[in-house]
Amino acid sequence: MLEIRNLHARVDERAVLKGIDLTIARGEIHAVMGPNGSGKSTLAYVLAGREGYEVTEGTVHYQGTDLLDLSVEERAREGIFLAFQYPVEIPGVAGTTFLRTAVNALRKHRGEKELDAMQFVKFVREKQAELNISDDMLRRPVNVGFSGGEKKRNEILQMALLEPKFAMLDETDSGLDIDALKTVADGINALRDPARSMLVITHYQRLLDYIVPDRVHVLAHGRIVKSGGKELALELEKEGYGALAGAEAA
Amino acid sequence: MRVQDMSRRITAEFPFVERFDEVAAGLPGAGLHWLDALRRDSLDAFNRVALPSTRVEAWKYTNLKDFAKTPFDIAVSGEGDPSVDLDGAGAGGPDAEHRLVFLNGRFDAGRSRAGSVREGLTVLSLGEALRRQAQVVRPHIERLSPLEDEALLALNTAFMMDGCVVVVDDGATVDRPIELIFASDTRSPTSAHPRNLVVAGAGSRVALTETHVGIGPSEYWSNPVTEVVVAAGASVVHRKVQRESPRAYHLANTRVTLAERGTYRAFLMSVGAGLSRCEIEARLEGEGADCRLDGIYLARDRQHTDITTRIVHAEPGGSSRQLFKGVLDGRSHGVFQGQISVSPDAQRPDGHQLNKTLLLSNEAEIDTKPDLEIYADDVKSSHGAAAGQLDELESFYLRSRGLDAEEARQVLIRAFIAEVVEAVEDEPFRNHLNASIDGWLSHEAAARETGT
Ligand SMILES: Nc1ncnc2c1ncn2[C@@H]1O[C@H](COP(=O)(O)OP(=O)(O)OP(=O)(O)O)[C@@H](O)[C@H]1O
Ligand SMILES: [Mg+2]
């Protein structure tokens, strides 16, 4: 599904990714862990195509095509989704309008009929209930005044509506209380599908108890310094990144 | 005569001004002695004062030099081209209960529904009002003119062609908005000088919607003056959409006085004209008067759009609110000057003002100048001004959900002005605004597509 080879990227003249190799097969869930500032969000932004995140070396293939050739919206329409670490507030745009515009952009791309306001309400209702998102939240401007947990649930709602093929979840578990973590994890698990792959960025083993990954990678100083099975997360929880990150720095 | 500093004035030689005697003989109210004298005095005032240069503080950012060189004349015909379709021009459509249409400054009776006088309400063209009720109109027109340093106002008084007169009796409520359409359709540089008067009696309620449009191929100049008198406890809603043609000069003056507990709510959308200036002055002359001015300005190419407001808190306990948001693209230039002046007697006033501009190109420019003159104590007052660009992260967020770059841009531009649009209570007018905004945005998109 996704094949990253020797990926180097710069942000603001600063080299952040320094040779990432990562292959994610269809239906697999990979977790990425690693110290603050190691480049996890940068990797997600580069894959989503954010401007200013300049790839200086390497390749990314997604379903056989060159991902780096596509614009942000083309990637989204081809099924790439990023749940943001810090979901963006957009004053002046009502949540429902935003969601409907996004859903319709994808439907249009797939040659399906766009949903009108009434049809959309029906379409969103069930998923909204599962994620415990009130009508009021959707009437308000996108993410404006939302609590940290509400923002994260809103990201998962978008993922559920857009049904991506490759989803990146950047610290979707941070800032959630115990119940919300369960709600969000259930939401993510509901989307597990043999045809859908995910990259889950997290600092905590806890999330991985709910969403059991196929592979776990440790990113430090812009490189993957260790990969393993789900037990690697447990190991890291006990021993920290010290040894791994240190080894790289040396 | 005061000796003038020549650098502060621009002398214009407009053909119609030189032909004053001949032109004035054909204007409404000709033969009324007081009006003939007033026109003559105003002409003298204009010739004495001349147009302001950018050395005059209030005109620092709006340059009339090129404007002054245009050989404007005045429209002679009364009816205009009958084939011009103005049905869709306003917010109320052709079925509005009261609809006054002015073509090139002249009242177009064929396209209007006026003269209808119903209980408590008089809606007439100025010409008709001068024939039937000159005594109602006279004190207002005389009060406003001629003023020193107000060249455009003086010229309007000298040449006032027609306009509307709305008088709402004490306690009366007018349910549906009164619609005014000012259209220009000219083949050579022409000027129009509409003069409107709105008098809302004590405790009355009325709403007006003005639309200014231009069709013809030529440059033209619209110089409207509107006087609004809000009596005690009366409420006036005054909405205006300026979407003149790109070759237009739109230089408008609105003067409002509010008596105690009177409320005035204005909404202004300025989107057309090559050069426009909308000046609004509101004087809160009674205790507890309340004034709110909201507006949107959209400009592109080399458009120049100026909004100048002046709120005078003359009596205690008044409140004023202003919210203006603008979007500037291309090499356009925006100006927002908001003056709040509080006189010593006006204790406990409450005046707030906010101006925000979104700059879509590096060449677009905004000059914003809040100006507080406060001579009283215990004043609650605030002002703010900000200019910024579209947010890269917001755009990325939208695009990462599948919206294309242009769609994301339009969503964000709309979002920026949404606050002002949503505060408009009247639904038909809000729809009308949204349609104008859509039109502007899709023109934008098309222009970007072709790279112009
Ligand atoms: N716009 C930018 N300009 C300069 N440096 C940047 C920019 N964005 C990110 N960086 C730097 O790149 C490095 C990687 O940042 P990134 O956000 O990818 O880290 P992260 O692994 O996601 O960290 P965290 O766990 O705290 O979320 C950091 O050192 C950060 O300061
Ligand atoms: Mg991060």
Side-chain angles (χ1 to χ4, degrees), chain A residues 45 48 50-51 72-73 76-77 81-82 84 88-93 98 101-102 105-106 143 155 158, chain B residues 391-407 411-412 414-416 418-419 422:
Chain A
Y45 284 148
R50 183 171 177 187
E51 241 167 73
V72 182
E73 56 268 32
R77 291 167 189 178
F81 180 86
L82 168 63
F84 284 54
V88 181
E89 298 188 4
I90 308 191
V93 179
F98 163 65
T101 312
L106 264 62
N143 291 325
E155 292 292 285
Q158 291 166 42
Chain B
D391 187 83
E392 177 272 328
L393 187 57
E394 290 178 10
S395 166
F396 170 60
Y397 190 61
L398 294 174
R399 293 173 67 194
S400 78
R401 288 349 183 206
L403 280 70
D404 66 38
E406 186 53 47
E407 244 179 315
V411 165
L412 294 176
R414 276 192 160 287
F416 177 76
E419 181 187 0
E422 277 157 21

